[in-house]
Amino acid sequence: MFFEPYKIKVVEPVPITTKEERQKIIKEAGYNVFNIPAEKVTIDLLTDSGTSAMSQNQWAGIMLGDESYAGSRNFYHFKDTIKSIFGYKHVIPCHQGRVAENIVFSNILEPGDIALSNTFFDTTRANVLSKGGIPIDVVIEEAYNPDIEMDFKGNVDLNKLEEVLKREGDRVKIFVFTITNNSGGGQPASLKNIREVSRLLKKYGVPLFFDTARYAENCYFIKEREKEYKDKSILEIAREIFSYGDGAMMSAKKDALVNIGGFITLNDDDLAEKIKQTLIIIEGFPTYGGLAGRDLEAIAIGLKEALDEGYLNARIRQVRLLGNYLIERNIPIIKPIGGHAVYLDAKKILKHIPQSQFPAQALTCALYVEGGVRGVEIGSLMFAEKDEKSGKINYPKNELVRLAIPRRVYTDNHILYVGEVINEVFNKRENIKGLKIIKENKYLRHFTAILEEIN
Ligand code: F0G
């Protein structure tokens, strides 16, 4: 009999609204769930980032915050913990993942340089572009097909990788291995693949960095699916992964079980010095990097908790609970079920809505109206691009709704409620209408766009 290896000490009420209220709210929000106040959301699956429930030890750690400007006690705990997991020489705190990306790329990339990844997460890609760099994804082709079941759909295609390395030579300045691969559906990479990627990069003299937002979940999949690692601990697997690289960037808002924080850790002395200089200008002194001492303490404790196999088992199991509930009802989702989220395949669910009418956004809104469940669109609203020359719109391959599960926050009953809401919407899917944009901004329009139903 399974049960979670923790119990609940503090509870927070779940907001309850009526369907009539939600119909009004979604209209007022311009059919964009980013515009809905969280107090009007019953189950919030917008993101698993910064939404974890902290443990009693993390809260106790908050009370041990040493808010000294330089050399806070908590920094040393933070640094030692990260070194014991990652094994790199330098540890540099910052306030979240995208700042880590910005600072690293500022010091590595010149305009025209190339950065490679299995798949860059949006902010990572944007940070490469903002330095004039060229981001290239070299993930295996299967990653783009939601129906293919594979153990390690986050793996790199070694042929694609070597081809770019050969062709571009010195222009390639960094490889960022995203584990798990968020943009590809929270899919893991295998240790075998990581080892081979490392070997190739060494041959061409390109540094390997990890984007470790969800590395503990990736380690769990390795233990589960890669035979040689079934008797290793999650920590041993993590250490082996990082032994093949030169550094890592982390959004601590995911697998460090905190609400804010991040860091950069690396071996290269010169680069670390440059990074610290940039940090001082935009984040703060290198022993706090935009965080309070108490935040550093909560991260140090959370990093250790997230390596606990019992916790990871409960975590991944709950994501699968939702995924399997939907699979049993023939509701199309990305397969296999990833580590942090379930992705609904809106293209298959809403066949009557063309991509020009934002099917994944329409489905996101329908889930909110039906049951107060908030997911996020990953489809045309986020990614469709107008070709400036021809005026033609290029649509993304997939229309997805991501339902990201916060860590240690919801019970199985909440998750099953979400399943029921999705099922209800699925059964009435023919009634869902397409949407059109009324107002949009030039960059990252999905955050702020105002839409309207097409009647
Ligand atoms: N890398 C990955 C793989 C991420 O998923 C994220 C954030 C970041 C970097 C950036 O970190 O938010 O701390 O600045 N992902 C969130 C999400 C926003 O909802 O998937 P950040």
Side-chain angles (χ1 to χ4, degrees):
M1 176 74 188
F2 167 85
F3 54 82
E4 288 79 5
Y6 46 81
K7 56 185 178 176
I8 298 164
K9 194 191 303 264
V10 177
V11 296
E12 180 183 339
V14 162
I16 307 291
T17 50
T18 64
K19 203 165 182 177
E20 288 67 38
E21 274 179 86
R22 294 192 295 271
Q23 276 161 342
K24 198 162 157 264
I25 291 167
I26 197 77
K27 223 178 233 166
E28 282 167 6
Y31 293 86
N32 185 340
V33 293
F34 282 100
N35 294 331
I36 301 175
E39 283 202 323
K40 300 291 178 195
V41 176
T42 304
I43 307 287
D44 204 347
L45 307 184
L46 187 68
T47 180
D48 63 323
S49 178
T51 52
S52 296
M54 291 209 295
S55 67
Q56 61 175 359
N57 282 341
Q58 285 177 295
W59 281 109
I62 295 258
M63 286 307 292
L64 299 176
D66 165 7
E67 305 306 341
S68 308
Y69 191 93
S72 150
R73 176 180 61 231
N74 312 115
F75 171 71
Y76 296 100
H77 184 199
F78 173 87
K79 184 174 86 171
D80 293 344
T81 304
I82 292 168
K83 272 189 155 179
S84 75
I85 301 168
F86 292 74
Y88 303 124
K89 205 165 152 193
H90 303 279
V91 175
I92 302 160
C94 58
H95 87 268
Q96 64 181 81
R98 66 199 72 183
V99 189
E101 296 153 14
N102 187 312
I103 296 177
V104 167
F105 298 148
S106 300
N107 286 291
I108 287 189
L109 298 176
E110 297 288 339
D113 283 345
I114 290 170
L116 303 177
S117 178
N118 44 346
T119 313
F120 281 104
F121 177 65
D122 322 0
T123 60
T124 326
R125 173 182 305 279
N127 270 303
V128 170
L129 290 168
S130 77
K131 307 297 162 212
I134 302 163
I136 302 179
D137 295 339
V138 288
V139 74
I140 53 171
E141 269 318 294
E142 290 89 337
Y144 298 106
N145 185 335
D147 297 320
I148 296 181
E149 294 254 13
M150 272 176 87
D151 283 347
F152 293 106
K153 245 172 142 177
N155 276 355
V156 167
D157 182 325
L158 298 167
N159 292 329
K160 278 192 204 168
L161 172 60
E162 183 144 32
E163 193 204 307
V164 183
L165 290 168
K166 261 193 199 142
R167 191 182 65 223
E168 304 294 348
D170 287 350
R171 285 176 72 204
V172 182
K173 293 296 187 315
I174 187 171
F175 187 101
V176 180
F177 214 138
T178 315
I179 52 173
T180 58
N181 190 13
N182 186 7
S183 309
Q187 306 292 337
S190 71
L191 244 167
K192 178 165 181 276
N193 189 254
I194 292 170
R195 210 179 298 125
E196 286 165 348
V197 167
S198 166
R199 200 178 316 128
L200 259 182
L201 293 173
K202 280 208 175 82
K203 184 171 147 196
Y204 288 87
V206 174
L208 168 58
F209 274 63
F210 294 95
D211 175 344
T212 60
R214 301 179 182 84
Y215 82 98
E217 291 166 8
N218 200 107
C219 292
Y220 181 86
F221 285 118
I222 288 175
K223 187 175 164 82
E224 181 185 75
R225 298 176 183 175
E226 221 170 336
K227 277 191 210 71
E228 311 86 281
Y229 293 94
K230 78 176 196 324
D231 297 321
K232 297 257 192 236
S233 71
I234 300 293
L235 176 61
E236 284 169 324
I237 294 171
R239 283 180 177 153
E240 183 171 338
I241 291 177
F242 301 130
S243 74
Y244 298 120
D246 302 283
M249 299 173 271
M250 178 151 187
S251 166
K253 299 173 74 174
K254 287 86 169 171
D255 275 355
L257 300 167
V258 291
N259 307 118
I260 195 74
F263 59 85
I264 302 160
T265 178
L266 73 167
N267 279 334
D268 185 325
D269 294 332
D270 290 342
L271 183 57
E273 234 10 83
K274 286 190 204 152
I275 284 173
K276 283 185 201 167
Q277 290 306 309
T278 315
L279 191 83
I280 289 174
I281 298 168
I282 66 173
E283 284 279 89
F285 190 70
T287 63
Y288 75 86
L291 293 168
R294 55 178 174 266
D295 297 327
L296 298 169
E297 190 62 27
I299 294 170
I301 297 168
L303 278 169
K304 286 182 249 184
E305 290 180 1
L307 291 171
D308 178 74
E309 211 182 312
Y311 150 73
L312 282 169
N313 187 36
R315 158 84 180 141
I316 306 280
R317 179 196 155 278
Q318 196 178 52
V319 177
R320 285 181 183 151
L321 179 71
L322 178 58
N324 287 326
Y325 181 98
L326 302 175
I327 290 172
E328 279 160 24
R329 285 158 185 79
N330 293 320
I331 301 175
I333 63 168
I334 290 196
K335 288 178 205 149
I337 300 161
H340 67 293
V342 172
Y343 296 70
L344 303 176
D345 188 340
K347 224 179 186 176
K348 288 210 186 90
I349 296 173
L350 300 179
K351 292 200 182 97
H352 62 289
I353 303 183
Q355 279 194 285
S356 58
Q357 296 181 12
F358 310 106
Q361 184 69 6
L363 186 56
T364 305
C365 293
L367 295 178
Y368 175 72
V369 171
E370 182 63 37
V373 173
R374 176 158 70 171
V376 71
E377 191 252 18
I378 305 183
S380 301
L381 188 60
M382 195 180 263
F383 290 126
E385 274 174 349
K386 201 175 188 168
D387 187 284
E388 293 300 338
K389 275 190 206 134
S390 65
K392 194 178 152 252
I393 295 171
N394 295 319
Y395 290 102
K397 219 172 194 166
N398 293 318
E399 290 287 335
L400 305 171
V401 178
R402 185 184 78 169
L403 303 158
I405 316 275
R407 295 166 182 79
R408 303 192 294 207
V409 170
Y410 291 118
T411 67
D412 285 0
N413 282 331
H414 292 123
I415 298 300
L416 291 174
Y417 167 76
V418 172
E420 277 177 32
V421 170
I422 298 169
N423 195 33
E424 208 41 50
V425 168
F426 184 68
N427 290 335
K428 300 187 288 204
R429 60 193 181 280
E430 274 87 23
N431 302 335
I432 298 175
K433 293 174 185 152
L435 298 169
K436 64 174 182 224
I437 294 181
I438 303 299
K439 202 174 139 233
E440 65 182 303
N441 290 323
K442 190 160 178 216
Y443 296 108
L444 300 170
R445 68 174 179 182
H446 59 283
F447 286 125
T448 50
I450 301 291
L451 299 98
E452 202 175 72
E453 268 188 345
I454 300 173
N455 282 303

